[in-house]
Amino acid sequence: MADFFLQALGQVSSPSVLALIIIGVLFGIIGGSIPGFTVTMAILVVFPFTFAMDPVSGVSLMVGVFVGGYSGGIVSGVMLGIPGTPSSITTVYDGYPMAQKGEPGRALGIGVAASFIGTLISVAVLVFFGPLIASFSMNFRPWEITALIVFALTLVAGLSNGALLKGLLAAALGLLITTVGYDRNSNLRFDFGIPALGSGFEILPVMIGIFAFSQLMGNLEKLRDDQGKAKGVDTNVTIPYGRIAKDMAGQKLNTLRSALIGSLVGALPGTGGTVANFISYDQAKKFSRQPETFGTGTPSGIVASEASNSAVAGGAFVPTLALGIPGDLPMAIMMGVLILHGITPGPLMFEQNPILVGAIYASLLIGAVIMVLCQLLLVRWFAKISLIPQEVLVPVVLMLCAIGSYALNNNLFDIWVLFVFGVIGYLLWKAEVPLTPLILGVVLGNNLERQLFRALELDDSWMTFLTRPLSALFLALAVASVIFSLYQDRKIQRNRQQAQVNDA
Amino acid sequence: MSGTSSDSRPQGREPVPHGERAKAVGHIVFNLALLGIAVMMFVHAGGLPSSAWEPIGSGSFPRLMLALLALLSVLMIIKEAAKLRHTSALPSGSVGDWVWRHRLAFGVLGLFTLYAIAMPLVGFRWATLPFVLACQVLLGARRPRQLAIAAAIALFMSVGLDALFRHVFTISLPRGALL
């Protein structure tokens, strides 16, 4: 692997790929720093620009966006008190109060340093565990893979905050979308009378439509709520390097713990930066000798939040590369991107595309260094850019989504696919149906059907899924995740009723 | 650019009257529609050919998903219908209020529909320019300075991006059948 890594490092270090990583990181930070834009949206918007690139260049650019995006949320969190991405919510708890006390540069500097170390630790986790899990999963047969996908989908659906039924419904809908068009035996299943649907839906316009439209339309519903806050923000920030070095020296354990939490949470399907953010912040508070300072502008809070959400980047690559199962929504989109570049993530990727795996490691490392330099040198500009109003953002992003959908196959029909799934996504979002299980269903649907088919072809008894130990284990975990989320749903319901009684 | 001069009411913050009932009704309508679609597709999938030498036919996997979807929709309808008993009837004008609260989103979706229709006819450049400009005006760019910035952004995003994709990425965006 070391040879391949050095080879990949050589490719990634070429001036053209380095320039792409810099552009990706810059765009990611900008995307992450604009409230309501998110890392996922940044990835979707940049994707069409990779069509004409070779896989290493394209993936390096996307990884750059990924690294920049996870660290970008800190800018608007500290300056405006509005998290740029959901994964930087807890950054606001201490970053904004610190900025309000006249130390925005210190808050940003601590956050950036924690992000950097978090990313490095997560890359180490990825380098160590990625190949290990991949070599273990090489033994998986169709029964195990089918059961693992079912487990991932139920886990993601169950984590949909008090909405198990809706989560499962979304996953089923996502899987169903992949059955449109001709099947493996050239039988036309569904085309709704539209010949262009014979080849099925392209993943990209479906994903962009479902995610981007719901996000942007949601932003429009609260338009003007945040803009009053944006007025009169002082974007002149100076970074006190000495003070930050001293702050970080006292945060070694907190940084390590938070980065490990972020890596672990990132590796679990369906969790992502937001969950990592809250768990890490909560743990830092519990371990702190001064828990009462949390929420008032303490460096520990910023470190816990930023080290964990940035560590998600490396952690989330573990199941995606090793098992072919994405850890969270941005990674589901990233996996779609890899598939569209002709690369199938999964255990075989380590054997068939070792240079590309090495390029991902190298891009993460180089991206982290570039992220720190960009954030520290250009923070003032990022703060200004984060004030871009929705009236500019919405049409520009929608237009870029249309380009992305069209340019994939130079097919205007895909713009209509984007629009229809945009409306569906918006309706689902309005109905509070979680979109992550749906997108995961779309990404994993074809593989699930293929593996189920293979399993039944090898042995037509459905019982084999229960007699093979690993397959049975995954299915048991799937059932357990459903039972656990049912219990969680009831608990949330009870708490709501209790709150209503108390209010009355 | 950060200031908006829109005369629109602030959205999202005003209390939604009888929100719980409206939500429950919305969920029931949504899931009934989903159930109807699932049943129709399930029947259609039943007619798909099955192979004598393959374990599952063309319609088996979609039917499995559709059955699951239908079952979940029914469960959702039962769950939401139970909530209707605890809430009072919606006051008249609720639907109008709802549409008013979502007017910007519907406006943008309407403009996007026109954009998608215009793209094959007039090409990327001349469809994008008015779309980006009109969206910005709809969402609040009304003062001369804001309009000038909106026009500059629209010009860059249409003509500029077209040139970037054509000459740098060698991807040709639609030229337009009428041009």
Side-chain angles (χ1 to χ4, degrees):
Chain A
M1 192 68 208
D3 288 350
F4 290 118
F5 179 72
L6 289 176
Q7 237 177 305
L9 192 64
Q11 284 193 23
V12 172
S13 305
S14 72
S16 61
V17 180
L18 269 182
L20 287 173
I21 298 178
I22 293 172
I23 293 169
V25 170
L26 281 172
F27 190 80
I29 297 174
I30 291 169
S33 66
I34 299 172
F37 194 76
T38 74
V39 186
T40 313
M41 192 91 82
I43 290 172
L44 286 175
V45 166
V46 165
F47 177 54
F49 295 91
T50 69
F51 289 162
M53 297 176 190
D54 62 275
V56 170
S57 302
V59 167
S60 299
L61 174 67
M62 304 295 288
V63 172
V65 178
F66 217 68
V67 173
Y70 273 116
S71 78
I74 188 173
V75 179
S76 55
V78 168
M79 304 299 289
L80 307 176
I82 306 165
T85 62
S87 58
S88 59
I89 290 173
T90 57
T91 308
V92 179
Y93 295 172
D94 287 287
Y96 190 56
M98 192 181 271
Q100 291 296 294
K101 287 179 196 164
E103 297 181 300
R106 184 182 167 208
L108 286 167
I110 292 170
V112 170
S115 271
F116 174 67
I117 300 170
T119 308
L120 292 190
I121 292 174
S122 78
V123 174
V125 170
L126 169 63
V127 172
F128 183 73
F129 285 104
L132 212 66
I133 296 174
S135 65
F136 175 67
S137 65
M138 286 286 274
N139 302 320
F140 288 5
R141 305 290 310 278
W143 298 274
E144 283 78 29
I145 301 173
T146 305
L148 184 62
I149 294 175
V150 171
F151 170 49
L153 288 170
T154 53
L155 188 64
V156 173
L159 286 168
S160 310
N161 219 2
L164 173 69
L165 275 182
K166 289 179 185 173
L168 291 173
L169 190 133
L173 207 56
L175 294 171
L176 191 66
I177 287 169
T178 62
T179 65
V180 171
Y182 285 95
D183 74 348
R184 62 192 172 277
N185 294 327
S186 303
N187 290 319
L188 181 60
R189 298 205 275 209
F190 309 107
D191 72 347
F192 309 105
I194 304 166
L197 285 180
S199 53
F201 290 114
E202 277 292 347
I203 290 182
L204 187 73
V206 172
M207 286 195 305
I208 302 181
I210 289 170
F211 179 77
F213 272 62
S214 60
Q215 180 86 30
L216 292 171
M217 297 305 126
N219 288 354
L220 288 182
E221 288 184 21
K222 54 179 185 175
L223 191 66
R224 291 162 58 92
D225 282 0
D226 297 336
Q227 291 186 356
K229 227 172 175 179
K231 284 178 186 166
V233 172
D234 182 12
T235 53
N236 285 327
V237 182
T238 39
I239 309 283
Y241 294 99
R243 181 78 195 267
I244 290 161
K246 214 182 272 178
D247 283 331
M248 289 307 291
Q251 298 290 335
K252 288 185 206 98
L253 194 65
N254 187 14
T255 312
L256 181 67
R257 182 182 52 236
S258 305
L260 289 176
I261 289 174
S263 304
L264 183 71
V265 170
L268 293 175
T271 45
T274 316
V275 178
N277 208 230
F278 279 102
I279 294 178
S280 173
Y281 190 83
D282 181 55
Q283 289 303 310
K285 196 172 172 181
K286 279 180 183 152
F287 277 95
S288 173
R289 285 182 195 150
Q290 299 158 309
E292 70 284 356
T293 59
F294 278 70
T296 62
T298 176
S300 308
I302 304 172
V303 168
S305 178
E306 284 301 310
S308 64
N309 68 18
S310 295
V312 167
F317 268 109
V318 175
T320 312
L321 296 183
L323 302 172
I325 291 177
D328 58 5
L329 188 58
M331 204 40 90
I333 309 270
M334 190 80 171
M335 185 166 154
V337 167
L338 288 171
I339 291 170
L340 290 169
H341 270 286
I343 302 149
T344 309
L348 287 175
M349 194 176 165
F350 285 80
E351 278 191 358
Q352 292 171 348
N353 274 307
I355 294 181
L356 197 70
V357 175
I360 291 174
Y361 295 166
S363 308
L364 279 166
L365 287 172
I366 295 172
V369 176
I370 293 171
M371 180 271 291
V372 173
L373 295 174
C374 289
Q375 284 273 31
L376 295 179
L377 296 174
L378 304 172
V379 68
R380 189 176 300 183
W381 296 102
F382 293 136
K384 282 189 204 300
I385 292 171
S386 72
L387 303 177
I388 287 180
Q390 292 292 331
E391 70 202 42
V392 174
L393 198 66
V394 171
V396 169
V397 174
L398 282 178
M399 182 270 297
L400 288 170
C401 290
I403 292 186
S405 302
Y406 166 80
L408 182 65
N409 293 319
N410 286 355
N411 187 358
L412 281 162
F413 178 72
D414 283 335
I415 296 183
W416 285 108
V417 173
L418 167 83
F419 178 68
V420 169
F421 278 96
V423 173
I424 292 172
Y426 182 44
L427 284 175
L428 291 170
W429 180 79
K430 291 296 295 175
E432 294 166 352
V433 174
L435 299 178
T436 305
L438 199 157
I439 290 181
L440 212 60
V442 172
V443 172
L444 297 175
N446 283 330
N447 196 20
L448 176 63
E449 187 181 0
R450 197 168 46 241
Q451 298 298 340
L452 179 68
F453 178 82
R454 272 190 205 157
L456 292 172
E457 203 176 27
L458 291 168
D459 181 346
D460 61 3
S461 167
W462 288 78
M463 283 308 287
T464 314
F465 284 100
L466 299 176
T467 53
R468 292 179 67 92
L470 264 179
S471 160
L473 174 71
F474 290 139
L475 290 177
L477 286 170
V479 173
S481 75
V482 169
I483 292 170
F484 178 71
S485 46
L486 276 174
Y487 166 75
Q488 287 285 92
D489 278 12
R490 290 190 69 159
K491 202 170 150 190
I492 290 171
Q493 209 104 42
R494 257 204 314 272
N495 288 347
R496 271 188 203 148
Q497 281 167 356
Q498 190 64 44
Q500 276 170 357
V501 170
N502 290 345
D503 285 349
Chain B
M1 273 314 277
S2 64
T4 51
S5 61
S6 164
D7 55 358
S8 58
R9 292 186 314 203
Q11 297 189 16
R13 286 279 166 96
E14 61 262 73
V16 181
H18 304 269
E20 281 304 310
R21 189 175 183 89
K23 254 189 204 174
V25 171
H27 278 131
I28 291 170
V29 171
F30 177 76
N31 281 285
L32 275 173
L34 215 55
L35 180 63
I37 294 168
V39 169
M40 277 196 310
M41 287 176 76
F42 189 86
V43 172
H44 173 81
L48 290 172
S50 55
S51 166
W53 59 87
E54 284 186 341
I56 52 174
S58 292
S60 306
F61 185 74
R63 285 191 112 194
L64 196 66
M65 292 306 115
L66 287 162
L68 183 66
L69 199 65
L71 174 72
L72 291 165
S73 294
V74 169
L75 289 174
M76 281 296 297
I77 292 167
I78 294 169
K79 194 178 165 194
E80 295 300 322
K83 287 182 187 168
L84 287 180
R85 276 179 291 165
H86 307 297
T87 52
S88 52
L90 289 172
S92 61
S94 301
V95 176
D97 283 347
W98 187 86
V99 172
W100 176 253
R101 277 202 309 277
H102 295 83
R103 69 196 178 286
L104 290 182
F106 291 149
V108 170
L109 287 176
L111 284 174
F112 193 88
T113 311
L114 294 176
Y115 181 49
I117 293 170
M119 185 100 73
L121 301 175
V122 297
F124 172 78
R125 273 184 298 186
W126 303 117
T128 301
L129 185 76
F131 169 71
V132 175
L133 188 61
C135 270
Q136 291 181 83
V137 173
L138 173 75
L139 300 180
R142 306 282 161 81
R143 292 186 192 131
R145 186 170 171 270
Q146 290 174 324
L147 285 172
I149 295 172
I153 290 170
L155 199 65
F156 174 73
M157 288 297 159
S158 51
V159 179
L161 267 190
D162 186 58
L164 180 76
F165 269 86
R166 191 171 306 280
H167 301 300
V168 180
F169 299 116
T170 58
I171 291 173
S172 180
L173 297 174
R175 306 303 293 161
L178 300 180
L179 297 179

